[in-house]
Each structure stands twice: as C-alpha cells, then as structure tokens.
Amino acid sequence: MTNSIFKTIIFSLLITFPLFASEWEKTTAENETQLFNVQVLESKGYEVKDNIEFSSTTEAHQRIQVKSEIMTTVDSVLVKAGNLVKKNDLVVKLDEYETNLELFALDLLSESEFKKIALYAPFDGILLDNHKIAGELVTPGEKVYELIDLSSLKIYGYINENEIMNISNENEVEITILGENVQGVIDYVSPIADPETKTFEIVVKVNNKDLRYKDGLSSIISIIKGKVLAHKISPSILALGDQGELGVKVITDNNLVGFKEIEIIEDTSDYMLVTGLDKIEKIIIVGQQYVSNGEKVNF
C-alpha cells in the first residue's frame, strides 16, 4: 500500500513539474518585461584644466601726477598730450627754469632746489591731456601734468578663502583682453584677507611693450589649479539626490540605478563639464526622473 502511494506521488510530480516550471519561467519573463526602460549614454571622461575664472579690467603699470613744489606760472608745454616721453625728459617748463638751470650748472643752486622747478618725467610713459597750459598759475602741491606707463598692465582679481590655498605665483594663467589671448603671470598674492569679504587680492601682470592694450579694457582671467577628470553632459539629464545634492543617475552592476554627485566646473548654454564620475560611466539620459536609486531597469 505504501509503495503504491509513493509511486502515485512521484508520478504526480513528474506530470506537474514541467507545468510549474513553465509557469515560473513565464512569470519571470513577465517580471523582466515589467522593468522600466531607460536610455543610457556611455560617457568617457577626459582630462581638463581646473581653473578659477573672473572678469576684471586692465590698469596701467604706473600712473603718476607730477606736482609743483613752488608757486609759479607755466612757461610752455614741450610735449603734446598722447605722445611718448622718456625718463628725465622735460615735459612742462615752468617760469624761471632757464635761470635756475644756469645757477644749478654753476653750483649756485642745490639739486633739491633745482628739482622744484625742473619737473622731469620720472619714467618712460605717455603724457595725458589734463596738464597745465602756458600762462597758468600753479601753486605748491598742485598737479602740473600726469604720466601713464602702459609698458605692462596690471589686472586685479579677488579669490575666496576656499580657493586661496591652491593659488600662488607659480600657477599658470590664461588671459583674454577684448577676446584676444595674451601672456601673463601672477605678480602678487595678498597674504591677508579683506576683513569684510574674506577674499584675497591677486595681481596678474601682462607684458604690453608694444602698447597695444590700453588702461581700462575688459579682461577675463583664468587661473589654472591643475587637471581633473571631467565629463561633458547635457543639463537636461541632471538629477537630485536624497539630500538635494546635484548629480546624475547611472547604471551600476546588475543593471541597477545608482546616483553620483557631481561638481560643475564649466557651464555653457549647450553643455556642462562636470567632475565626480568614473572614467567610463553609463549615464541615464532619458527616464532618469522615473527611476529610483537601487531600482533594476532595462536599457
């Protein structure tokens, strides 16, 4: 009797198992087809320069007002405004200059006294047009003429405290003035922060021996901090993490959705350059808003 029952059970299993296996495979297939479909881009990262960029304006290397130390009148202006003058050129002749020159030549007038009347150019530069003219009275401490030196330019910028540790005079600098690329170096990094803004002043120096560029031109400075691995992505694929952090959704092992936080290092109207991703990433570019971290998907 027992053997008969056992044989009956075995026979029943042999008949029902294929049916059960078939149903299980069918259910599994249905579950697979129910996975959400996303579109994926295999993105390959590449090295880019990591920089700090700011806008500023050019300033002359030197600019000085030459002032009178005595009360007198202007005899004549010897240089036309806008023209170059050399160091020690006489730019504006004051009354009594010739007399004082003779006395100085005869050692009857000290050099310090002679320089009060002999307003020589202190450096090579360009005469600005806001000078005194012949016949005008000048008083002690009053400006007689102004000179500007454009042989090199200074461009000022301000770096926040989170970035200053990466900046020194050794950093490479990329400069554009009115859209033209020019060469320059970091000439000065302030050792102290502005107490109100917590920023540090830096000065970039640009060679301008040909005097091509003027004082007050728009410029863009990029200070290179180093190189980083970046991916070029579309802003439309961005997603937010559980804590509101900015990132993208990617495909990890076993077709599971993962979230990776990113940092934007360049943002244009067409694309973004971001860091924080591996060398090769499968980034979800369509459907990322409908899937969750850890969810299995089809792609």
Side-chain angles (χ1 to χ4, degrees), residues 216-229:
L217 298 181
S218 298
S219 59
I220 298 176
I221 306 299
S222 292
I223 300 175
I224 312 303
K225 296 189 295 182
K227 291 186 177 181
V228 292
L229 181 68

Side-chain angles (χ1 to χ4, degrees), residues 13 29 31 46 76 80 82 97 180 194 196 257 264 270 299:
L13 288 174
N31 288 338
Y46 56 96
S76 58
K80 184 179 179 180
Y97 169 78
E180 297 181 2
D194 183 292
E196 295 183 1
V257 176
I264 300 171
D270 299 322
F299 66 94

Side-chain angles (χ1 to χ4, degrees), residues 19-226:
L19 296 175
F20 174 77
S22 176
E23 286 298 321
W24 182 82
E25 290 176 356
K26 181 179 179 182
T27 302
T28 302
E30 288 177 351
N31 288 338
E32 289 290 337
T33 59
Q34 290 174 1
L35 295 178
F36 194 85
N37 289 305
V38 297
Q39 187 174 336
V40 170
L41 171 68
E42 185 172 271
S43 177
K44 295 182 179 180
Y46 56 96
E47 280 194 340
V48 298
K49 293 177 180 178
D50 185 18
N51 58 18
I52 303 171
E53 186 173 287
F54 57 87
S55 300
S56 188
T57 54
T58 59
E59 292 189 23
H61 172 58
Q62 297 182 87
R63 183 170 179 168
I64 192 171
Q65 294 181 351
V66 178
K67 299 179 180 180
S68 174
E69 293 188 45
I70 60 174
M71 180 176 288
T72 184
T73 56
V74 175
D75 177 82
S76 58
V77 179
L78 305 179
V79 180
K80 184 179 179 180
N83 283 5
L84 290 170
V85 298
K86 293 292 186 180
K87 182 178 179 180
N88 294 326
D89 280 355
L90 185 62
V91 179
V92 175
K93 183 190 291 186
L94 300 180
D95 282 348
E96 303 175 5
Y97 169 78
E98 298 294 347
T99 301
N100 281 269
L101 179 61
E102 292 178 5
L103 293 174
F104 177 66
L106 296 171
D107 291 329
L108 298 175
L109 187 67
S110 68
E111 183 177 0
S112 61
E113 287 297 316
F114 176 63
K115 284 185 176 180
K116 292 180 181 180
I117 198 78
L119 303 183
Y120 296 127
F123 51 75
D124 294 356
I126 299 172
L127 178 65
L128 300 184
D129 66 355
N130 54 354
H131 55 74
K132 293 289 186 179
I133 61 175
E136 275 195 277
L137 177 70
V138 292
T139 57
E142 188 176 5
K143 179 184 70 176
V144 178
Y145 68 90
E146 190 170 5
L147 204 61
I148 189 171
D149 176 11
L150 293 174
S151 61
S152 64
L153 300 172
K154 297 181 291 185
I155 304 176
Y156 290 85
Y158 298 89
I159 306 298
N160 67 52
E161 60 184 355
N162 296 324
E163 298 282 6
I164 194 62
M165 299 301 292
N166 299 316
I167 304 301
S168 73
N169 294 58
E170 303 301 319
N171 286 78
E172 180 186 352
V173 182
E174 294 178 349
I175 306 162
T176 59
I177 299 177
L178 296 181
E180 297 181 2
N181 295 327
V182 297
Q183 299 295 317
V185 296
I186 296 178
D187 192 51
Y188 173 74
V189 178
S190 175
I192 57 175
D194 183 292
E196 295 183 1
T197 64
K198 297 297 183 182
T199 58
F200 293 78
E201 182 184 73
I202 68 163
V203 181
V204 174
K205 186 177 181 180
V206 176
N207 189 313
N208 191 40
K209 291 294 185 184
D210 60 358
L211 307 181
R212 174 173 175 77
Y213 301 108
K214 313 303 181 186
D215 181 281
L217 298 181
S218 298
S219 59
I220 298 176
I221 306 299
S222 292
I223 300 175
I224 312 303
K225 296 189 295 182

